[in-house]
Amino acid sequence: MFTLLRNRVRRTAFALSAVAALAFAGTATTGAAAAPAPAPAKQGPTSVAYVEVNNNSMRNVGKYTLANGGGNVFDVAVIFAANINYDTGTKTAYLHFNENVQRVLDNAATEIRPLQQKGIKVVLSVLGNHQGAGFANFPSQQAASAFAKKLSDTVAEYGLDGIDFDDEYAEYGNNGTGQPNDSSFVHLVTALRANMPGKIISLYNIGPAASRLSYGGVDISSKFDYAWNPYYGSWQVPRIALPKSKLSPAAVEIGRTSQGTAANLARRTVSEGYGVYLTYNLDGANRSADVSAFTRELYGSDAVYTP
């Protein structure tokens, strides 16, 4: 029952059934988080919105508030997606931004800061790109640490709130690259957490990296802030040793997952005590009916869309 969605051929399954204000100083491509300031209070799970920036604006995430109390519907906005690419000359992985991701980053003052000023965290997702480079096949701790530094430097340069790992489409073995090994992702996440102790690290729970979370007596599960189910329209608890408050077994695609299913998944999130609710593909249309279907269950309130 799987269909192909995302621009990079994301698999998705259809089931049957921050409070921070960030000041920005300097150029549009640099910025650092300032002291947090209160935003309207909201009780309930953390809501996450992935945005396909090839087609849509990050600003859309900030257009939804709760009718009761005025709090943000979404707490975390994910820029989808940067890529892990492979340089066949130097035989090393590198971080790549297509023109749309680069545009968002270069225009942080208008695409990112307005969300952060509302108290919404903005995270950069990193995805494989069919070139053989992935999070699970760094050949050494040094190579993994070097890529971790590229990630943390990017977070610092553009004033982001963290990194999301999505281990799809690497096509391990292409360009003579190695197959997944047990140490790679452990070294990568360990180094990244050391580089940015106060930032978000999240796991889109799919691919070889997601099943290789311990090595040499080190388990990196606790280094993640969140992990979520990658199959839209379904319920699947991520297999990672995190408390329920950091897990999203529910995953919906806004506009494609039915409102009934979105509501049922939200109701189950609350009744079973999970702390995160994942959404994907928020676009520029007025999706208040789709969003309200889950906000009523998560927060006891309809969602209001403000263009």
Side-chain angles (χ1 to χ4, degrees):
M1 293 193 299
F2 295 106
T3 61
L4 298 178
L5 286 179
R6 289 195 169 187
N7 290 345
R8 297 194 178 280
V9 202
R10 166 163 312 287
R11 295 172 296 172
T12 177
F14 292 91
L16 293 176
S17 63
V19 181
L22 300 174
F24 178 62
T27 69
T29 59
T30 61
K42 181 180 78 173
Q43 299 295 321
T46 296
S47 290
V48 181
Y50 275 81
V51 177
E52 287 266 16
V53 297
N54 285 344
N55 306 309
N56 300 299
S57 170
M58 293 300 295
R59 294 190 299 271
N60 295 329
V61 180
K63 295 179 179 180
Y64 292 87
T65 55
L66 296 175
N68 298 337
N72 298 315
V73 166
F74 298 105
D75 304 288
V76 180
V78 184
I79 302 167
F80 188 79
N83 296 107
I84 178 171
N85 280 10
Y86 189 70
D87 187 321
T88 57
T90 62
K91 300 188 184 305
T92 57
Y94 67 96
L95 186 61
H96 171 73
F97 309 133
N98 72 19
E99 63 275 14
N100 296 302
V101 173
Q102 189 67 65
R103 174 185 47 78
V104 171
L105 298 176
D106 287 344
N107 291 281
T110 56
E111 290 286 321
I112 296 171
R113 300 296 167 254
L115 300 181
Q116 293 173 324
Q117 289 160 4
K118 291 174 181 287
I120 300 168
K121 303 289 189 182
V122 180
V123 171
L124 178 66
S125 187
V126 185
L127 178 72
N129 201 19
H130 313 282
Q131 298 183 12
F135 314 127
N137 69 343
F138 287 105
S140 67
Q141 183 173 2
Q142 180 181 15
S145 296
F147 192 76
K149 188 174 188 306
K150 294 174 186 176
L151 295 175
S152 58
D153 285 350
T154 296
V155 168
E157 179 179 359
Y158 295 104
L160 302 174
D161 296 298
I163 293 292
D164 174 66
F165 288 110
D166 183 348
D167 190 18
E168 297 183 277
Y169 318 121
E171 296 186 19
Y172 291 102
N174 277 3
N175 291 313
T177 58
Q179 291 300 311
N181 63 67
D182 291 337
S183 64
S184 176
F185 197 44
V186 173
H187 290 322
L188 176 62
V189 175
T190 298
L192 183 61
R193 176 51 75 204
N195 292 351
M196 47 180 225
K199 299 292 186 176
I200 292 171
I201 303 177
S202 58
L203 178 65
Y204 194 83
N205 191 48
I206 199 168
S211 62
R212 290 169 167 83
L213 302 180
S214 75
Y215 174 77
V218 176
D219 189 312
I220 57 172
S221 298
S222 64
K223 299 184 186 300
F224 291 97
D225 294 278
Y226 305 111
W228 29 70
N229 169 19
Y231 297 106
Y232 301 114
S234 76
W235 177 273
Q236 183 180 104
V237 180
R239 295 183 178 180
I240 181 174
L242 285 173
K244 284 185 171 184
S245 61
K246 296 184 176 185
L247 297 177
S248 181
V252 302
E253 182 179 6
I254 295 173
R256 289 185 66 104
T257 301
S258 73
Q259 293 177 19
T261 296
N264 288 336
L265 292 172
R267 191 177 306 117
R268 188 171 178 183
T269 297
V270 173
S271 67
E272 297 190 23
Y274 287 95
V276 189
Y277 189 86
L278 177 68
T279 74
Y280 165 66
N281 207 24
L282 183 68
D283 60 19
N286 181 350
R287 298 291 182 182
S288 56
D290 294 306
V291 174
S292 293
F294 61 81
T295 60
R296 283 192 289 266
E297 302 297 333
L298 296 177
Y299 311 117
S301 175
D302 283 337
V304 175
Y305 173 78
T306 304

